[in-house]
Amino acid sequence: MTDSIVIALSCGSDNPNRATRAFFFAATAKKEGKNVSVFLLDEGVYLAKEGIAQHVKAATGDSLDDHLSYCQEYDVPILVCTPCAIARKITEADLIPGAKFAKGADLIDLACKGSVISL
């Protein structure tokens, strides 16, 4: 069994339930002492843009921003697919604190070292 988890999220505010759950699971894994990373790709990259997460809530009432803030406070890496972001005109200067550009090889490396949750 591994203590490393990567959560790959391909949706953004277009699916607030999945987007919120991804950060909920990331925060939960961190609270359980796991090594966790979040990898945002496709529409998910928008969530790493400053000012977006505050407006995303799940049907349960959970706020993505609450879970994201926890992840930021406890240094959960938030990796943003570089080509996905560039295609959507998102630059590194647009990113929230704790987020950084990453490549597909980074996701593969994380996946080989741990468990993957894909949302």
Side-chain angles (χ1 to χ4, degrees), residues 10-105:
S10 62
C11 63
S13 60
D14 59 320
N15 192 326
N17 292 318
R18 284 177 48 202
T20 301
R21 286 296 150 251
F23 283 94
F24 165 79
F25 288 128
T28 300
K30 186 66 176 178
K31 290 173 186 175
E32 294 292 321
K34 307 298 182 193
N35 297 316
V36 63
S37 299
V38 176
F39 195 98
L40 303 174
L41 61 151
D42 298 329
E43 298 302 303
V45 300
Y46 285 116
L47 299 175
K49 192 172 179 184
E50 193 70 53
I52 300 296
Q54 294 88 337
H55 305 287
V56 179
K57 293 193 185 317
T60 59
D62 292 47
S63 168
L64 184 145
D65 193 44
D66 290 341
H67 304 306
L68 173 59
S69 294
Y70 180 90
C71 290
Q72 289 174 294
E73 182 179 344
Y74 290 94
D75 300 320
V76 171
I78 301 166
L79 306 173
V80 180
C81 173
T82 303
C84 297
I86 290 171
R88 290 162 178 83
K89 309 286 190 245
I90 297 171
T91 67
E92 287 187 278
D94 296 324
L95 299 180
I96 58 175
K100 67 179 185 175
F101 277 6
K103 298 193 176 179

Side-chain angles (χ1 to χ4, degrees), residues 93-117:
D94 296 324
L95 299 180
I96 58 175
K100 67 179 185 175
F101 277 6
K103 298 193 176 179
D106 298 312
L107 176 57
I108 299 303
D109 185 53
L110 289 168
C112 288
K113 293 177 182 174
S115 298
V116 178
I117 297 173

